[in-house]
Amino acid sequence: MTWSSILIQLLNGLAGAASLFLVSAGLSLIFGVTRIVNFAHGSLYMLGLYGAYTLIETFGRTPLGFWSGVALAALLVGLAGALIEVAILRRIYRAPELFQLLATFAVVLVIKDIALFAWGPEDLVGPRAPGLRTPVEIFDKRIPLYDLVLIGIGPLVLGILWLLLTRTRWGTLVRAATQDREMVAALGVDQARLFTSVFFAGSVLAGLGGALQIPREPANLELDLSVIADAFVVTVVGGLGSIPGAFLAAIMIGVAKAFCIGIGTVQWFGVEIAFSKLTLVVEFLIMGLVLIIRPYGLLGRPPAQQRHSGEPAPPLVPPGWKVAAVWLVPLLLLPAAGDRYLVVLATDIACFALFAASLHLIMGPAGMVSFGHAAYFGIGAYAAGLLFKRAGLPMEAALALAPLAAGFAALIYGWFCVRLSGVYLAMLTLAFAQISWSIAFQWDSFTGGSNGIVGVWPAAWLASKTAYFYLALAVAAGGIALLWRVLFSPFGATLRAGRDSPLRLEAIGVELRRYQWAAFVLVGALAGAAGALFAFSKGSLSPSVISIALSTDALIMVLLGGVDTLTGPLAGAALFTWLRDEVARRTEFWRAVMGLVILAIVLIFPQGLVGGVKALVARWRRARA
Amino acid sequence: MLAVRGLHAHYGQAHILADVELEVGEGEVVALLGRNGAGKSTTLKTVSGLLPASAGEVHFLDRRIERLPPHRIARLGLGYVPEDRRIFTDLTVMENLEVGRQPGRAGAPSWDEAKLFALFPNLAAMRDRPGGRMSGGEQQMLTIARTLMGNPRCLLLDEPSEGLAPLIVEQMAAAISTLKREGLSVLLCEQNLHFARSVADRAYIIESGRMRFSGTMAALAADPALREQYLSV
């Protein structure tokens, strides 16, 4: 590379960093004050991009039309964010934090379908910035003038935010609330209004980040989750709640990505390395490195001990045989009904129930929320597919070995993850899932790339849907029984104690991390078993089995059913799988329907379905007594 | 001014306050005494709306306030000063005061930075110091000053003398006497009987979430058995 091309890549990276910084700053601001990890933040960015497209088409492709379109799109997205806060989140601030996360997942689903309905499934290529189209020559290389403007916008917004936060009463209140929002309320500040204003400001930043990308990136429906993953990485690398940190991190990641594209494929000592393929992974590699060296990000500090008003998790009740029989007997008799569709659906549910139960152990009793649990499901599925197709193992052997592969991945990923806690841990799990996904997606020659692997069929004796259903049921029931057995063993008690008071546990001489690490491996292996089971039931697999979307599906299942109960995740998996199947057969907009159903449940049963039903039963009993 | 009637409060299943009754008259300084864990702080938290009351009534200026959110209660002129100070450590002294600022109200002494620095001279010298880099005594002064910025009519003060050097405790007592002269009503939680005696007119004693005594400071002083039973450690 010559010096001039290095400079060009640097400028390219800095231009890309601007939007990344805007969206991450908004996420950071919202998290700081409301403690909500807003998964819908990427969706707001996407809306900004689509909104700018439409508004610029309406106003005309003139400089005035372009910039007023961008500004209006950002403002409208800000209003949308404020509406989400007022209509949904405000009602559940007293619910457990994870439930607020579930609500934002639902918003993601709804916004995706709103965009699909309003703008259609095709990518929309926006106009180049009018008046800024002429490229500038720098050292005989050309760079669009618009990119240089973007490079200036990043620091400009950083400066404006800094002034707002340090020189205005609103900023003082925001910073105070970031530390202790209850005390701010006790001093007479209306929290609800403060939260709405913060949601508005954060959403404007997301919308602006999206709108400014319109000349550089086509508007498409995949942006919501890919942007939220990027924003998580930037926020975590920079340090949660630190806006200058987000700025630094956005630049680091933007520049690293630009260089990966710029370097392209090179030969090093006879080995061909395709740097351009690393773009998807590089930010996650940076994040992994930064978190190992500075667990709270570049400019972050250890999170202040939060005063949470939520009640502690209730003790778990061990399941009885009677309860298990009530569930198992009808399931065993299910194929007798003779409905082939029902058997296939029940097989799916069995796979996802095991998947959800494994996620439940790690996020509920062990207190380590994973945003990337699909990593283990997917690695299990891929291991099964690869062992079967590439290694030529019999199906039974592939199915039996797949959990070991997933467990091995969890052994490596978990070693890093247990060093962190809370939101940082969750985001690191997402990063690992995304790395796994990128490998599966890009390693065409081995994993089949985006096509995945086909022809992954079960052995002859399991070929019938009914036989396979019994296999799935047996594996799922066995796996779930194992998980529950572990939960009520001394090992499980240690995990639960570690969730409630890690310091006290350390003080009595327990090295909590080892237990958490072991739990990671166990749930990874069982999620892998679920993935392998799923792959053979479908006969094929694609990178979607490791996608962020599947990770969030699993979170929805657990949270929908209720994280404080054992059977909740199973009920959640069944309900979610069945509902998605039913709705998807009837309408193209099944995501919106699912999202609205989830929102309804969140608002009516803030403890999850099973938790809510239990509370109802308890109230009914009290009323009778 | 402030009247609490039959107040109950719970932490989860635990019954912390049972049938608490108390009153603070206009311009009065009333001490709520009791040992650690007796329910003093819980009483103040429940009155200020931070903890929901499970039963009972709280009247402030002839209004029922037990169902109002904390910020509404503060805006009515009932200021809360927490025991653990809860200073915004990243914010400077001036910024901490800014968070507490509320419009002035009739019938309450009105405060601004200059007046508060006169009340707590130590703070005047450290306007731009972050709250996290102040001593315990300075933080205690700041937390009171911050609540006074809301121009309250009645102050709920939770153990202002706790963990402070004797000299600072004296300053604190002087400051509370000034507040009383300004016409502020004060409900003061204390374990330090000596401190309470120097500022309060009347006293209540709470033990295991129940009121055990109500009377003048003089009556309490004249009854060593009472002090032995509920206050000595």
Side-chain angles (χ1 to χ4, degrees):
Chain A
M1 273 181 122
T2 61
W3 284 109
S4 64
S5 61
I6 286 178
L7 181 70
I8 290 296
Q9 292 310 335
L10 192 67
L11 292 176
N12 241 328
L14 289 175
S19 278
L20 210 51
F21 162 63
L22 292 184
V23 68
S24 312
L27 185 75
S28 216
L29 199 62
I30 290 176
F31 177 81
V33 175
T34 65
R35 297 283 139 187
I36 288 183
V37 179
N38 182 22
F39 245 84
H41 211 66
S43 309
L44 295 170
Y45 171 99
M46 181 175 79
L47 281 184
L49 198 47
Y50 274 113
Y53 174 86
T54 300
L55 289 170
I56 295 168
E57 292 301 297
T58 313
F59 295 162
R61 299 186 170 195
T62 60
L64 181 67
F66 179 87
W67 290 105
S68 53
V70 166
L72 188 59
L75 277 179
L76 289 175
V77 171
L79 289 178
L83 182 72
I84 292 170
E85 198 277 335
V86 171
I88 302 162
L89 298 174
R90 177 173 298 182
R91 288 160 212 288
I92 50 172
Y93 280 127
R94 285 184 177 272
E97 279 180 14
L98 286 172
F99 231 61
Q100 298 157 359
L101 192 67
L102 179 60
T104 65
F105 287 147
V107 173
V108 170
L109 295 173
V110 174
I111 291 183
K112 202 191 221 18
D113 269 3
I114 290 176
L116 174 65
F117 177 77
W119 288 285
E122 300 297 322
D123 288 11
L124 298 178
V125 179
R128 299 274 215 66
L132 301 172
R133 248 169 287 184
T134 34
V136 188
E137 285 215 5
I138 297 174
F139 296 122
D140 66 272
K141 302 262 178 179
R142 307 174 116 205
I143 184 161
L145 185 56
Y146 184 70
D147 282 13
L148 295 182
V149 172
L150 275 185
I151 292 176
I153 284 180
L156 182 71
V157 171
L158 178 66
I160 292 173
L161 273 177
W162 183 80
L163 284 176
L164 270 178
L165 286 174
T166 56
R167 293 285 184 274
T168 67
R169 174 168 166 87
W170 178 79
T172 308
L173 294 182
V174 164
R175 281 156 55 222
T178 299
Q179 190 184 344
D180 187 346
R181 57 192 193 188
E182 192 186 60
M183 192 61 227
V184 172
L187 289 168
V189 176
D190 186 347
Q191 280 200 66
R193 277 178 55 191
L194 185 63
F195 282 17
T196 308
S197 69
V198 166
F199 247 88
F200 174 77
S203 305
V204 166
L205 288 172
L208 186 62
L212 285 172
Q213 281 295 88
I214 191 79
R216 292 168 54 91
E217 181 175 25
N220 67 78
L221 293 170
E222 308 306 318
L223 282 172
D224 51 359
L225 289 181
S226 70
V227 168
I228 194 68
D230 283 353
F232 277 177
V233 171
V234 170
T235 320
V236 167
V237 169
L240 219 53
S242 164
I243 289 181
F247 185 73
L248 271 183
I251 286 179
M252 265 173 73
I253 286 166
V255 170
K257 276 188 162 186
F259 271 100
C260 280
I261 295 171
I263 292 171
T265 306
V266 284
Q267 296 270 347
W268 268 351
F269 309 109
V271 182
E272 197 168 85
I273 300 176
F275 275 95
S276 53
K277 288 198 168 184
L278 273 178
T279 48
L280 284 171
V281 187
V282 68
E283 59 188 282
F284 293 102
L285 291 179
I286 291 177
M287 168 157 144
L289 279 179
V290 168
L291 287 186
I292 290 165
I293 301 164
R294 290 187 62 90
Y296 302 107
L298 293 173
L299 299 185
R301 276 175 301 177
Q305 200 62 44
Q306 272 303 309
R307 300 162 188 279
H308 55 98
S309 45
E311 304 214 339
L316 286 170
V317 183
W321 276 109
K322 272 189 219 157
V323 178
V326 169
W327 286 86
L328 274 174
V329 170
L331 281 173
L332 285 170
L333 297 176
L334 186 92
D339 187 342
R340 201 179 121 92
Y341 163 73
L342 204 60
V343 174
V344 172
L345 179 66
T347 308
D348 282 2
I349 290 178
C351 298
F352 286 124
L354 177 57
F355 183 35
S358 69
L359 175 61
H360 169 254
L361 185 140
I362 197 99
M363 73 185 276
M368 298 183 284
V369 179
S370 167
F371 284 177
H373 206 54
Y376 314 110
F377 186 88
I379 289 171
Y382 267 95
L386 291 170
L387 287 169
F388 182 67
K389 293 290 284 188
R390 301 238 185 272
L393 288 184
M395 174 259 176
E396 295 86 344
L399 189 62
L401 290 176
L404 296 183
F408 182 69
L411 188 76
I412 295 169
Y413 296 172
W415 187 86
F416 293 97
C417 292
V418 297
R419 263 138 246 278
L420 302 176
S421 62
V423 183
Y424 285 94
L425 184 149
M427 293 184 176
L428 189 62
T429 58
L430 182 97
F432 281 124
Q434 195 64 4
I435 290 175
S436 314
W437 178 84
S438 302
I439 293 170
F441 189 78
Q442 295 183 331
W443 199 355
D444 286 308
S445 57
F446 187 61
T447 61
S450 57
N451 296 323
I453 304 171
V454 292
V456 190
W457 290 112
W461 63 279
L462 291 164
S464 89
K465 295 292 174 200
T466 303
Y468 199 82
F469 165 69
Y470 281 122
L471 172 76
L473 189 62
V475 173
I480 291 165
L482 175 65
L483 284 167
W484 287 357
R485 179 72 193 79
V486 165
L487 264 184
F488 291 97
S489 68
F491 176 82
T494 308
L495 284 180
R496 282 184 279 157
R499 168 198 61 190
D500 294 337
S501 38
L503 280 180
R504 264 172 252 178
L505 203 58
E506 299 271 335
I508 58 171
V510 178
E511 199 186 341
L512 179 59
R513 270 185 196 170
R514 299 174 75 101
Y515 287 79
Q516 293 178 324
W517 194 21
F520 245 93
V521 175
L522 172 74
V523 302
L526 286 171
L533 210 52
F534 184 74
F536 279 114
S537 82
K538 296 293 166 207
S540 66
L541 57 104
S542 72
S544 69
V545 293
I546 321 185
S547 61
I548 300 180
L550 188 68
S551 291
T552 54
D553 282 356
L555 283 163
I556 292 174
M557 291 172 195
V558 173
L559 294 171
L560 203 56
V563 72
D564 289 337
T565 60
L566 282 177
T567 44
L570 312 185
L575 179 76
F576 184 84
T577 311
W578 168 76
L579 199 63
R580 181 172 54 188
D581 228 64
E582 283 297 304
V583 180
R585 278 193 296 167
R586 287 180 173 78
T587 166
E588 185 189 354
F589 300 106
W590 61 272
R591 285 189 200 85
V593 177
M594 294 292 292
L596 292 174
V597 169
I598 294 169
L599 281 180
I601 293 174
V602 165
L603 294 178
I604 300 169
F605 297 113
Q607 301 116 15
L609 271 184
V610 173
V613 170
K614 280 190 173 169
L616 277 182
V617 169
R619 194 187 301 173
W620 180 69
R621 280 196 184 143
R622 236 179 292 145
R624 277 203 334 170
Chain B
M1 169 134 305
L2 177 72
V4 175
R5 305 258 171 266
L7 191 69
H8 291 256
H10 290 79
Y11 278 125
Q13 298 284 315
H15 199 165
I16 304 297
L17 295 184
D19 207 19
V20 167
E21 304 260 341
L22 64 84
E23 258 181 60
V24 180
E26 180 95 47
E28 215 184 2
V29 176
V30 177
L32 179 57
L33 304 169
R35 295 198 185 99
N36 253 343
K40 304 186 299 292
S41 293
T42 308
T43 305
L44 291 200
K45 277 188 183 159
T46 314
V47 170
S48 61
L50 294 176
L51 198 71
S54 21
E57 298 173 5
V58 182
H59 298 258
F60 180 63
L61 300 171
D62 303 321
R63 283 193 58 171
R64 293 275 297 268
I65 61 165
E66 72 273 2
R67 298 256 171 263
L68 294 182
H71 73 271
R72 294 275 308 280
I73 294 176
R75 285 180 185 188
L76 287 175
L78 188 55
Y80 168 65
V81 181
E83 174 187 18
D84 41 358
R85 295 161 195 156
R86 296 173 79 165
I87 289 300
F88 305 114
T89 47
D90 291 348
L91 273 57
T92 63
V93 168
M94 291 298 271
E95 287 173 331
N96 267 283
L97 294 179
E98 176 61 35
V99 178
R101 185 192 301 278
Q102 292 290 329
R105 59 175 53 79
S110 89
W111 299 91
D112 57 23
E113 285 89 345
K115 228 177 128 186
L116 288 168
F117 289 148
L119 182 66
F120 297 115
N122 299 28
L123 295 181
M126 45 182 78
R127 292 157 196 262
D128 295 318
R129 183 176 297 186
R133 294 196 2 233
M134 298 167 75
S135 74
E138 291 156 358
Q139 286 193 348
Q140 186 61 53
M141 292 172 192
L142 179 58
T143 185
I144 295 173
R146 187 177 62 180
T147 301
L148 287 174
M149 283 296 284
N151 304 311
R153 295 188 61 160
C154 177
L155 205 57
L156 305 171
L157 259 182
D158 201 347
E159 299 216 26
S161 76
E162 193 196 16
L164 300 185
L167 193 68
I168 311 282
V169 174
E170 266 172 47
Q171 287 181 24
M172 203 58 76
I176 293 173
S177 302
T178 311
L179 296 181
K180 183 178 154 71
R181 272 200 305 281
E182 293 266 350
L184 213 64
S185 315
V186 179
L187 176 59
L188 173 77
C189 282
E190 262 308 329
Q191 290 195 58
N192 182 340
L193 182 62
H194 176 73
F195 177 76
R197 224 145 87 186
S198 67
V199 293
D201 311 308
R202 285 194 301 119
Y204 293 93
I205 294 180
I206 189 170
E207 166 72 27
S208 304
R210 289 175 187 279
M211 282 302 181
R212 309 289 178 170
F213 168 84
S214 162
T216 62
M217 264 308 172
L220 177 58
D223 190 344
L226 195 66
R227 293 204 305 269
E228 178 63 30
Q229 190 176 357
Y230 295 121
L231 300 178
S232 68
V233 266

